[in-house]
Amino acid sequence: MKINRRRRIIKTFNLLDQPIRFNPFVFSRTFFMWTFTGLVGGIIAGFYWIALEYFTEELAHFQGWLVIPVMAVCGLLAGLVIHFIGDPGEIHLIVNNIRFNKGKLEPKNNPSMILSSLFCVASGGSLGPEAPLVQVTGSTGTWLGKIFRLKGEELRSLSIAGMASGFTALFGAPLGGSLFSLEILHHKHAVEYYKAIIPALVASCFSYVMFALIIHLGIGATWNLKAYQYSGVYDFVYAVLFAVAATFVGWIFIFVVKFFKKVFEYRPFPIYIKTLTGGIILGVIAYYFPLTRYFGHNEINQLINGSFALNFLILILVFKILTIAVTVTSGWRGGFIIPLFFVGTTLGLIIHHLFPVVDTTLAIVSCMAAINACVTRTPMSTTIILGTLTGFTYFVPILFASLTGYFLAPRIPFIGSQSEKLAE
């Protein structure tokens, strides 16, 4: 009798064509796996952020010429960690493993990544914690997938969900973090692993909640931009023009990185020699231009709230590009997304100085979006992430700028594992 009643309910609501199995909800066992992955990712990100803030505050006491030996020593220590514990790789390796290693990210590299990135980011390197967090949380997703005995696309999806939880914890944007974890793996203008979007979104939401509880994160914009005043349809044209300028700077950044990569690879020196050399260079630049130190999370607000002369902003733009390039190529560990946002902010302020009639907020956000989309090729997620971080609720101008940076980017991508040749 009960079975017949269930059959009638199923036929009435047209939910399932299975007369005995009755489950009126969409979520199932897999939902709890995604949830657990997000919770674990949020806990990891929270404690990593607490450790990073502690070491950053301790090392920030060294000012003036002392910043040079501090960054040199931290670079040496990071290099020694990589040399003796193991090379954790960079974002290129993460993308390659997701695409060509059945979605498996190795947890064995996590101790090296955590220690080396703490030395690099906390001492003032121009790379952020996003890459270390993504490596650790993504490999944790792989590890949990093996515990749950997942294989194939299910294992890859859980690894991507772990990556998304790391992106979300840093950016505070569950939707943007989810899309970014998928979009950075794209090939030929297509998001390949779109089946992982729901796992990534679920993990991101729970990671965000856990991260917010641990570090007492509030809801609101991270960077204090002035309120944007829409002045007409020509704002879209301005956004595209600003994006063209930012994309040009993005090209310069890519060529500068390639140049320093050749310099540091000219001789096969041990990794700790390269990181030591990079630390000395970064320390000297930070001594003369303190605003170029660190990855830009707090420094962007200093730029926005300050009143800097045009010449000073141009110098900051040039030397920030140099510091990011040296940090990336000398073996220091970290991510370059927020540092690129810093470059975009600086360029937006320069444009406002040259053309005072333009809206400062529109110029800054357009430049931030275009340069990041040019380098990382992630126009959709960049639009959403920037809307969250800046409080810029008009998504269409940001999207115009992001797409401009994306389609004017070099044919050969900056992240080599996004290359078409590798995927064919």
Side-chain angles (χ1 to χ4, degrees):
M1 188 68 182
K2 292 183 178 179
I3 293 178
N4 291 333
R5 185 182 297 113
R6 290 181 177 179
R7 284 176 177 170
R8 287 196 298 270
I9 293 173
I10 290 170
K11 289 180 180 179
T12 302
F13 291 99
N14 195 26
L15 295 176
L16 297 172
D17 192 20
Q18 298 179 7
I20 297 178
R21 296 178 60 190
F22 181 71
N23 182 7
F25 303 108
V26 172
F27 72 81
S28 59
R29 147 181 197 273
T30 53
F31 172 84
F32 295 103
M33 288 193 300
W34 305 335
T35 300
F36 187 68
T37 301
L39 292 174
V40 173
I43 292 172
I44 292 173
F47 284 105
Y48 179 90
W49 187 263
I50 290 173
L52 178 62
E53 284 194 325
Y54 172 78
F55 285 113
T56 301
E57 290 177 3
E58 291 298 317
L59 294 175
H61 292 120
F62 297 94
Q63 300 289 335
W65 66 269
L66 289 175
V67 72
I68 300 175
V70 165
M71 297 191 72
V73 170
C74 286
L76 176 62
L77 292 175
L80 291 173
V81 167
I82 295 171
H83 179 76
F84 288 106
I85 300 181
D87 189 350
E90 298 175 353
I91 191 67
H92 307 269
L93 181 61
I94 296 174
V95 176
N96 270 335
N97 284 339
I98 290 293
R99 292 175 60 186
F100 305 116
N101 192 31
K102 300 179 181 179
K104 299 177 183 177
L105 300 176
E106 293 297 333
K108 66 180 181 181
N109 296 324
N110 287 348
S112 176
M113 175 61 87
I114 292 172
L115 288 175
S116 60
S117 64
L118 283 176
F119 283 122
C120 295
V121 179
S123 63
S126 287
L127 290 179
E130 58 267 29
L133 279 179
V134 169
Q135 165 66 32
V136 175
T137 56
S139 60
T140 301
T142 300
W143 177 67
L144 291 174
K146 291 179 179 178
I147 292 178
F148 297 139
R149 297 181 180 180
L150 302 181
K151 295 181 180 179
E153 287 301 318
E154 288 186 334
L155 178 60
R156 179 183 278 114
S157 293
L158 204 63
S159 299
I160 294 174
M163 291 172 56
S165 69
F167 277 124
T168 296
L170 178 65
F171 296 129
L175 180 57
S178 304
L179 285 176
F180 199 95
S181 65
L182 296 175
E183 206 174 9
I184 202 168
L185 305 172
H186 84 275
H187 164 60
K188 290 184 177 179
H189 315 300
V191 177
E192 293 181 89
Y193 307 112
Y194 58 89
K195 293 181 180 179
I197 182 61
I198 297 300
L201 188 59
V202 171
S204 292
C205 290
F206 283 93
S207 171
Y208 175 75
V209 171
M210 187 57 64
F211 185 74
L213 288 173
I214 292 174
I215 72 164
H216 306 291
L217 180 70
I219 297 177
T222 302
W223 299 316
N224 305 320
L225 291 172
K226 297 178 181 178
Y228 164 66
Q229 298 295 330
Y230 176 72
S231 60
V233 70
Y234 287 107
D235 280 6
F236 300 106
V237 179
Y238 293 144
V240 172
L241 292 176
F242 301 151
V244 171
T247 305
F248 177 72
V249 174
W251 275 70
I252 294 175
F253 167 75
I254 292 172
F255 280 110
V256 171
V257 170
K258 291 182 181 294
F259 169 77
F260 277 102
K261 186 176 181 180
K262 291 180 180 179
V263 170
F264 281 102
E265 292 180 352
Y266 183 72
R267 296 286 185 185
F269 291 111
I271 182 66
Y272 51 85
I273 299 298
K274 294 180 181 179
T275 54
L276 170 63
T277 305
I280 295 172
I281 297 173
L282 294 172
V284 171
I285 297 176
Y287 170 70
Y288 288 102
F289 300 98
L291 203 56
T292 62
R293 194 182 177 192
Y294 302 110
F295 63 99
H297 185 265
N298 298 315
E299 289 69 29
I300 288 177
N301 273 332
Q302 294 180 33
L303 276 177
I304 295 171
N305 298 326
S307 299
F308 301 106
L310 176 61
N311 293 340
F312 179 79
L313 290 173
I314 293 174
L315 289 174
I316 291 295
L317 178 68
V318 171
F319 282 100
K320 188 62 178 181
I321 291 175
L322 290 176
T323 56
I324 301 173
V326 171
T327 311
V328 169
T329 56
S330 63
W332 284 46
R333 291 296 182 262
F336 45 78
I337 298 169
I338 293 182
L340 287 176
F341 287 157
F342 180 95
V343 173
T345 303
T346 309
L347 180 61
L349 292 172
I350 291 173
I351 291 174
H352 178 69
H353 270 277
L354 295 175
F355 307 99
V357 294
V358 303
D359 187 272
T360 311
T361 299
L362 180 64
I364 289 174
V365 174
S366 299
C367 290
M368 294 170 84
I371 193 169
N372 188 66
C374 173
V375 176
T376 65
R377 304 199 176 200
T378 55
M380 292 187 297
S381 52
T382 294
T383 301
I384 297 172
I385 288 171
L386 273 179
T388 303
L389 292 176
T390 62
F392 194 94
T393 56
Y394 300 86
F395 284 100
V396 178
I398 310 179
L399 184 58
F400 271 64
S402 296
L403 289 174
T404 301
Y406 175 76
F407 285 109
L408 294 181
R411 179 175 291 274
I412 300 176
F414 178 76
I415 301 175
S417 46
Q418 292 177 338
S419 176
E420 295 179 4
K421 294 182 179 179
L422 290 175
E424 293 174 349

